[in-house]
Amino acid sequence: MSVFFLSVTLLPKFPQVFVGDDVTLICNCKGGSKPTTWIFNGASQTHEDYSKLLIAVTPKNNGVYECVQGGKRSDPYTLTVLSMNTILNVHDRLFLLLCLMISLSLSLSLSLSLSLSDLEPHAQLSPSVGGAVMTKGDGRNLVLQADDDLKNWSCFVLRGVSTFSLALDVDEKMNRAVIFAELKEAERATFFCKKKKADLRSNAVTLKKTELMVMLVPPVIPALQGEHVDLRCVVWGGPELKNAVFYKDSREIKTSHDGTYIIINATQSDNGNYSCRATYRFSHISAEAALKEGDSDAQELKVIGGPPAAVISASTNSLQCSCPHCPDDCTSYHWYHTPLNDPYTRKKLPESDEFITVKKEGQYKCRSDCGKGFSRFSNIYNYKAQPVEFRHMWYILVAALILFVIIIVLIIVLMWRRCGRMDIQAPGCDADQDRLVMSVRYVR
């Protein structure tokens, strides 16, 4: 008689889970999926499916997960989001206090909260165009960028509960690699890349499918607190958009004629399910095409705090990178240069100091290295070589011209004075004039 053991499995099988990742917990049983009860930190959850999707995870998702099927309870699974902004729970505080009192004899005024920061992964994966929603049968390129040789990286996709490897097209000259992302029959898929023989990875990109003509398209990257978030209402086929009405949790919030809703200075109060209703017509097919209307699927938006961002301060071609909210052990910096005509060609510079001097035109950005991860990238600084101002050149040209005229005048005056002496033949004077003077003297 075989015995079935329940277990909780994390998908994708990330070596580390970063803030903003989408992950799925699977209550796996060889006997198949059954009605499932999920338990988080000892409390039963209302979710009853064998898979539990966690969107844009943060340290709030940290804890112990268990599942129950058919009266059997799984072993506990501990989820840890790689973050250095975690506040210790009561048991951890007591344990830490006991250890510290024994080893260090600290005073009772000890503060037990860790004032540290979230981290970003080493490599970046991003779509060349488009957002997080695609129509059925569509596909797009995802661009991978890393600081080291991209031939040492592999990429994968999670569709449902199955993980597949993807072909990676490496462009060594441009220092980037491309994978083709498609959903196939899956409703959503998560794409990510890992370095071979190392526990380093990229961020994850989750794409979702819609079968409707109208799409509410949120950005691929997680919505970060304090930043702008653009939501777009897009109609498949590119018809003329007359207007779009945006909804949050089924409540109308805005009518837009350009199909865009911008959340300025996003906060967690902006969390919710967003959708749109578009009015459009295919005027490029027929000038008399009738107006049509359509609704999009609802898309969940979750605003998170995210890692602290580095900041660039500039004075002409002297740049400084800083990270005011990073922990003290983030002491080195990575600098990057991107040509002005190609935003996906990024080169890591050899400098690791806080200050650099730039000479080459392009876009510059930096981030702070914190060991297991990085700060967010800084703002972009666009550097263009400063041309010499024309008015300064004009002053130089006028001064040179005046000097040239003075020299010519002096030469003419000197030659005239020398040639004007009657008793001596000066070089350059007329020889006939000299013979005439000698003849006059002979007659006398």
Side-chain angles (χ1 to χ4, degrees):
M1 179 178 178
S2 60
V3 179
F4 296 120
F5 293 96
L6 283 178
S7 62
V8 176
T9 305
L10 176 72
L11 295 177
K13 295 182 179 180
F14 291 139
Q16 313 94 5
V17 178
F18 287 90
V19 170
D21 282 339
D22 291 350
V23 298
T24 301
L25 297 176
I26 303 294
C27 187
N28 186 25
C29 177
K30 290 185 178 180
S33 62
K34 300 177 182 178
T36 305
T37 300
W38 284 94
I39 301 171
F40 175 53
N41 288 337
S44 296
Q45 309 292 294
T46 56
H47 186 79
E48 294 184 350
D49 192 75
Y50 80 103
S51 65
K52 184 176 180 65
L53 175 64
L54 303 177
I55 296 175
V57 294
T58 69
K60 293 182 179 179
N61 298 109
N62 285 353
V64 178
Y65 291 82
E66 300 169 277
C67 66
V68 178
Q69 287 183 359
K72 297 180 180 179
R73 188 164 179 160
S74 71
D75 292 332
Y77 176 83
T78 302
L79 175 65
T80 302
V81 178
L82 188 57
S83 164
M84 297 188 299
N85 196 27
T86 305
I87 305 300
L88 301 178
N89 59 35
V90 175
H91 296 91
D92 292 333
R93 292 185 183 199
L94 293 175
F95 177 75
L96 179 60
L97 179 59
L98 178 61
C99 293
L100 292 177
M101 288 178 65
I102 293 174
S103 60
L104 301 175
S105 300
L106 295 178
S107 65
L108 293 177
S109 61
L110 175 67
S111 172
L112 292 175
S113 63
L114 298 180
S115 179
L116 301 171
S117 304
D118 305 332
L119 298 175
E120 280 197 343
H122 284 69
Q124 292 73 50
L125 187 65
S126 59
S128 56
V129 294
V133 178
M134 297 192 305
T135 56
K136 184 178 180 180
D138 198 4
R140 66 183 52 154
N141 288 333
L142 300 180
V143 180
L144 174 67
Q145 294 177 299
D147 292 350
D148 52 3
D149 190 352
L150 290 169
K151 289 184 177 180
N152 295 325
W153 288 75
S154 301
C155 295
F156 306 89
V157 57
L158 173 69
R159 300 188 185 101
V161 295
S162 300
T163 301
F164 305 91
S165 60
L166 297 173
L168 186 63
D169 183 11
V170 177
D171 188 332
E172 295 185 68
K173 183 178 179 181
M174 297 295 184
N175 193 32
R176 64 186 179 192
V178 175
I179 61 174
F180 184 69
E182 54 185 343
L183 299 176
K184 296 188 181 293
E185 299 302 320
E187 295 297 321
R188 61 188 294 132
T190 299
F191 300 83
F192 61 99
C193 301
K194 296 193 299 183
K195 186 175 182 179
K196 301 173 183 177
K197 300 180 181 179
D199 286 339
L200 302 180
R201 50 161 284 215
S202 73
N203 61 297
V205 171
T206 297
L207 301 177
K208 291 161 278 189
K209 180 177 71 176
T210 182
E211 297 185 9
L212 301 178
M213 287 287 293
V214 180
M215 297 174 282
L216 189 285
V217 183
V220 169
I221 61 175
L224 299 178
Q225 190 166 321
E227 296 193 353
H228 289 15
V229 179
D230 293 354
L231 302 178
R232 296 184 298 114
C233 191
V234 179
V235 183
W236 183 85
E240 178 188 1
L241 184 67
K242 291 297 183 181
N243 65 67
V245 181
F246 288 86
Y247 301 86
K248 177 188 177 185
D249 298 329
S250 301
R251 179 177 58 85
E252 182 178 335
I253 54 176
K254 183 184 179 181
T255 299
S256 169
H257 295 292
D258 64 358
T260 303
Y261 175 60
I262 301 177
I263 301 174
I264 299 176
N265 192 22
T267 65
Q268 293 188 3
S269 63
D270 295 306
N271 291 350
N273 292 302
Y274 289 80
S275 60
C276 66
R277 181 176 182 83
T279 302
Y280 59 94
R281 66 174 184 171
F282 289 94
S283 56
H284 61 286
I285 298 177
S286 171
E288 300 178 354
L291 287 174
K292 296 184 178 182
E293 291 186 335
D295 295 314
S296 73
D297 293 321
Q299 302 293 339
E300 182 178 357
L301 179 69
K302 182 179 179 182
V303 179
I304 62 175
V311 178
I312 285 184
S313 303
S315 176
T316 314
N317 66 335
S318 179
L319 307 183
Q320 177 186 8
C321 186
S322 61
C323 188
H325 302 293
C326 284
D328 294 337
D329 56 349
C330 302
T331 56
S332 63
Y333 298 90
H334 289 205
W335 289 91
Y336 303 89
H337 172 263
T338 299
L340 293 174
N341 60 349
D342 188 355
Y344 289 101
T345 299
R346 189 185 76 195
K347 180 181 179 182
K348 181 179 179 295
L349 302 179
E351 293 87 350
S352 60
D353 295 331
E354 184 179 356
F355 295 90
I356 66 168
T357 300
V358 299
K359 298 180 180 179
K360 189 176 181 180
E361 288 190 344
Q363 295 180 339
Y364 290 85
K365 58 184 177 180
C366 67
R367 58 178 176 166
S368 183
D369 188 348
C370 303
K372 291 185 177 180
F374 293 84
S375 71
R376 257 190 285 167
F377 279 99
S378 69
N379 52 305
I380 295 176
Y381 178 74
N382 290 290
Y383 174 71
K384 292 185 178 181
Q386 301 296 320
V388 180
E389 294 189 16
F390 179 74
R391 65 171 182 267
H392 294 161
M393 290 295 296
W394 174 255
Y395 296 151
I396 295 173
L397 289 174
V398 169
L401 181 61
I402 293 173
L403 181 62
F404 177 76
V405 171
I406 292 174
I407 293 173
I408 294 299
V409 170
L410 288 174
I411 292 174
I412 293 174
V413 170
L414 291 173
M415 291 185 65
W416 179 82
R417 292 185 64 181
R418 295 179 66 183
C419 293
R421 296 173 61 183
M422 297 300 179
D423 55 342
I424 300 175
Q425 180 179 348
C429 296
D430 195 326
D432 293 336
Q433 181 181 356
D434 294 342
R435 286 194 292 270
L436 178 61
V437 173
M438 294 176 63
S439 300
V440 172
R441 287 177 179 174
Y442 177 77
V443 170
R444 287 181 181 177

